[in-house]
Amino acid sequence: MNALTKLSRRQSLQALALFGAGAAITRFHRPNTAYAQATSSSEIKDEDIFQFALNLEYMEAEYYLRATTGKGIEAADVGPDAGPVKGGSKVPFQSKAIREFADELAENELAHVRFYRKTLGSQAVSRPTIDFDAGFKAVREALGMPDFDPFANDMNFLLGGMLFEDVGVTAYAGAAPLLESKEFVEAAAAILAVEAYHMGMARSQLYQMGDKAQKAANAVSTARDKIDGAGDKDQGIERNGKANLVPATPDGMVFRRTPQEVLRIVYLTDKSGTDSGGFYPKGMNGMLKST
């Protein structure tokens, strides 16, 4: 049993509120506004964390479904107050392997959306407004690719997916210590593993595409690290002239991000107190929505 599991849930949440650590094993940093707000009146609930995850899964499912089918999630799976989704189109895949990988990604992410909606029941949040056009417009500057369209070809599709998958893995790892229900912990761990498979495959395929793809992927990593907060929680797919397909800490563990660090990336901002922007022009739905 590690030091984290010896803490009570209330003690862990108090520490998180004070020190902002979804990754609270060895190091704490900037104050975590949303946790502080949530715990000032009541403890954050497992359902709040799953609602946060559902927001992310909506975006991933929409991205992959639009890339593979040309259309997004069906009305039955988005909730009664679903926001619109702007952008996205069917990718003209050239590689059979990448096309099949994309189909599997879309199937997995839609399954995650359905799992969370089923698990949360009446507490499931509807799909938030998602804007791929505005989000990727900002990403173009970070990539140094003014004509970058994630739906234009195989490489661009993988780069766009990498933006979500790397963040998703660190988000799940950061949220795991906060969950109280054993069943919720088991579910989050199982989904984290699938997201990590996705990430590893995308990074591997990009690396094999050569110098252009490697530089673009590293640019995505650098851009994320500039806005997510203090500390280095990102790694490109090439380091010191060698492949770096598995981003990991010196202890060989996955990096962990707090919800606020994740929100800075998807809102495309480095400012605290922001509750919308980037891919979510009207913000996420649920309690955890402010950087």
Side-chain angles (χ1 to χ4, degrees):
M1 180 178 292
N2 61 34
L4 183 60
T5 58
K6 292 178 181 178
L7 294 174
S8 72
R9 176 171 168 79
R10 181 177 293 275
Q11 289 170 324
S12 296
L13 287 166
Q14 289 172 341
L16 289 164
L18 290 170
F19 300 107
I25 287 186
T26 60
R27 188 174 298 175
F28 301 112
H29 48 84
R30 269 200 310 262
N32 187 319
T33 304
Y35 283 131
Q37 291 174 343
T39 54
S40 64
S41 58
S42 61
E43 288 189 356
I44 191 171
K45 301 179 179 65
D46 286 0
E47 289 77 10
D48 300 323
I49 299 169
F50 268 29
Q51 287 174 349
F52 179 79
L54 177 55
N55 279 275
L56 296 174
E57 296 292 355
Y58 277 132
M59 181 169 66
E60 291 188 357
E62 290 289 352
Y63 179 78
Y64 293 123
L65 284 169
R66 287 163 190 269
T68 55
T69 69
K71 58 183 181 179
I73 306 173
E74 297 291 342
D77 295 313
V78 296
D81 300 311
V85 179
K86 185 177 181 181
S89 60
K90 195 171 182 178
V91 176
F93 291 103
Q94 298 299 306
S95 166
K96 179 176 180 291
I98 293 177
R99 170 56 201 258
E100 291 179 355
F101 174 48
D103 286 337
E104 191 170 8
L105 287 167
E107 181 180 335
N108 289 163
E109 302 303 353
L110 179 58
H112 292 168
V113 167
R114 288 172 173 168
F115 167 77
Y116 280 121
R117 290 190 55 77
K118 176 180 66 176
T119 301
L120 288 166
S122 62
Q123 297 185 64
V125 294
S126 296
R127 181 187 64 200
T129 297
I130 297 170
D131 191 339
F132 289 118
D133 287 346
F136 282 112
K137 180 179 180 180
V139 171
R140 290 187 192 108
E141 297 180 8
L143 292 176
M145 299 168 62
D147 298 323
F148 176 73
D149 176 1
F151 302 97
N153 55 53
D154 297 27
M155 185 186 82
N156 287 9
F157 163 76
L158 291 172
L159 287 169
M162 177 186 165
L163 177 68
F164 305 136
E165 296 295 346
D166 272 342
V167 175
V169 172
T170 58
Y172 274 105
L178 304 177
L179 294 168
E180 180 178 31
S181 164
K182 179 176 181 291
E183 290 75 14
F184 276 33
V185 172
E186 290 176 348
I191 293 177
L192 185 156
V194 170
E195 300 290 357
Y197 277 127
H198 294 173
M199 181 193 73
M201 285 295 296
R203 291 170 70 98
S204 177
Q205 289 169 331
L206 284 166
Y207 185 81
Q208 293 178 65
M209 287 181 175
D211 186 65
K212 181 179 179 180
Q214 291 170 19
K215 287 181 178 178
N218 280 11
V220 170
S221 172
T222 299
R224 284 190 305 231
D225 228 5
K226 285 181 178 178
I227 63 174
D228 68 353
D232 183 359
K233 296 187 176 182
D234 224 300
Q235 293 176 356
I237 65 174
E238 179 275 329
R239 301 180 77 196
N240 303 317
K242 296 182 179 180
N244 185 58
L245 305 182
V246 183
T249 70
D251 294 321
M253 297 182 183
V254 67
F255 289 99
R256 302 180 179 193
R257 283 188 171 97
T258 68
Q260 284 61 51
E261 291 169 333
V262 172
L263 287 169
R264 289 188 183 102
I265 293 172
V266 297
Y267 288 171
L268 300 174
T269 181
D270 60 358
K271 298 178 180 179
S272 298
T274 303
D275 60 9
S276 64
F279 293 97
Y280 296 90
K282 294 185 178 180
M284 285 192 178
N285 292 326
M287 178 178 288
L288 299 175
K289 60 179 296 180
S290 175
T291 63

